[in-house]
């Protein structure tokens, strides 16, 4: 009998991927970093590939190797490696890498020489995000060095890419200016003799709102998991994750009884309290104290008092709730339960963080349906 679980509907992931595929002529790279946004990288990768994605994207080398160890042979790009990370291991495992500086280019080339194979490389340009990527002023030098590296046979520049700062605000002028700079960067790369077949800049929000940003490949993240990349806009996606727990204990308490550390909640009348065995270790932030929405007994309630490390309390009034009943923290919303977007609202964060918080916790086993 489970105590708490994250139930993952792989059919929802397949449906979301298929929808995106049908709306673009670009290849779809399923982004399964951060353990598939908390849904499990390997099962999500398999589901996405079945549904039409042709590539996978992750941040770190260990995330890429996890996919290879699971026997997944589809192309994988890993875009965030620190200096000294074993590029040769990536090249040997047929993992595509990114470079945004001469140093990174040299590391990739050296790794390829070590294993005697050609590294498949994506050059990243900073078109305005100010995070990863080469600055425009350094771009010409980088693409020329990459062209020289290609001539050795150990590096093949297969991609040129960038990332948006404000794609979740479709009207933001930065989107157009980033696309202009991206077009310029592609021209410079072509002039240097590079022939990348994977030009990519679009994440979920741009996939859904900027067809002119699709190029050859789109990088599909949060929308694949069924959540909207643009707060308040409904794209008809199906959320894949439901987090729930069984009530451990219920009891009657008199009016005026305090609840949990600090007694920040007081029962206004004699009431039934229900103890739910999930806490901040499980990814339920303490900031959800007195605000987090939870459905129990068919009714949406608000967490009463502080969230503790392992547990929290719901004030159920005179409702008929019992130990063993199922409390739903969030799900697709089919039965009126809260959604990850509702949680994002009360926690003043984005749905991405809600998913990754809950989805990777050791005490909440994932169950696939
Ligand atoms: C996480 C990530 C994505 C996916 O973004 P979504 O908004 O979830 O679609 C795409 N590209 C890069 C570089 C990322 O880090």
């Amino acid at each position: 009998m489970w105590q708490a679980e994250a139930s993952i509907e792989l059919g929802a992931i397949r449906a979301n991927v298929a929808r995106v595929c049908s709306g673009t002529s670009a290849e779809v790279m399923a982004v399964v970093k951060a353990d598939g946004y908390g849904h499990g990288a390997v099962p999500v990768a398999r589901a996405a590939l079945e549904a039409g994605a042709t590539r996978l994207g992750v941040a770190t080398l260990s995330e890429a190797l996890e996919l290879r160890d699971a026997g997944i042979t589809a192309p994988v790009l890993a875009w965030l490696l620190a200096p000294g990370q074993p590029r040769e291991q990536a090249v040997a495992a047929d993992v595509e890498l990114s470079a945004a500086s001469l140093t990174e280019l040299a590391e990739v080339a050296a790794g390829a020489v070590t294993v005697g194979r050609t590294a498949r490389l994506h050059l990243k340009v900073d078109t305005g995000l100010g995070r990863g990527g080469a600055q425009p002023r350094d771009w010409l030098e980088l693409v020329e060095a990459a062209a020289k590296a290609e001539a050795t046979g150990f590096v093949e520049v297969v991609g040129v890419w960038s990332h948006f700062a404000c794609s979740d605000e479709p009207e933001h002028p930065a989107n157009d200016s980033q696309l202009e700079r991206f077009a310029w960067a592609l021209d410079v790369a072509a002039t240097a003799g590079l022939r990348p077949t994977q030009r990519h800049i679009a994440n979920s929000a741009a996939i859904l709102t900027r067809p002119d940003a699709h190029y050859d490949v789109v990088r599909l993240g949060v929308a694949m998991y069924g959540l909207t990349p643009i707060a308040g806009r409904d794209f008809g996606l199906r959320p894949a994750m439901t987090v729930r727990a069984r009530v451990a204990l219920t009891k009657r308490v008199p009016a005026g009884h305090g609840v949990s550390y600090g007694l920040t909640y007081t029962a206004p009348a004699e009431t039934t309290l229900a103890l739910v065995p999930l806490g901040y270790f499980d990814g339920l932030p303490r900031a959800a104290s007195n605000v987090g929405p939870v459905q129990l007994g068919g009714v949406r309630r608000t967490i009463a008092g502080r969230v503790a490390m392992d547990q929290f309390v719901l004030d159920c009034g005179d409702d008929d709730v019992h130990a063993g009943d199922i409390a739903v923290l969030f799900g697709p919303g089919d039965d009126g339960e809260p959604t990850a977007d509702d949680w994002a609202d009360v926690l003043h964060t984005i749905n991405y963080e809600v998913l990754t918080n809950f989805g990777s916790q050791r005490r909440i086993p994932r169950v696939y349906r």
Side-chain angles (χ1 to χ4, degrees), residues 31 33 37 79 131 161 163 203-204 219-222 352:
V31 178
K33 66 187 180 190
Y37 289 40
W79 54 64
R131 207 175 65 178
W161 72 294
H163 195 42
N203 60 348
S204 291
R219 302 188 305 269
L220 175 63
V222 78
Y352 295 66

Side-chain angles (χ1 to χ4, degrees), residues 218-237:
V218 295
R219 302 188 305 269
L220 175 63
V222 78
M224 170 167 67
Y225 303 97
L227 296 187
T228 179
I230 302 178
R233 262 186 80 176
D234 182 2
F235 293 98
L237 302 159

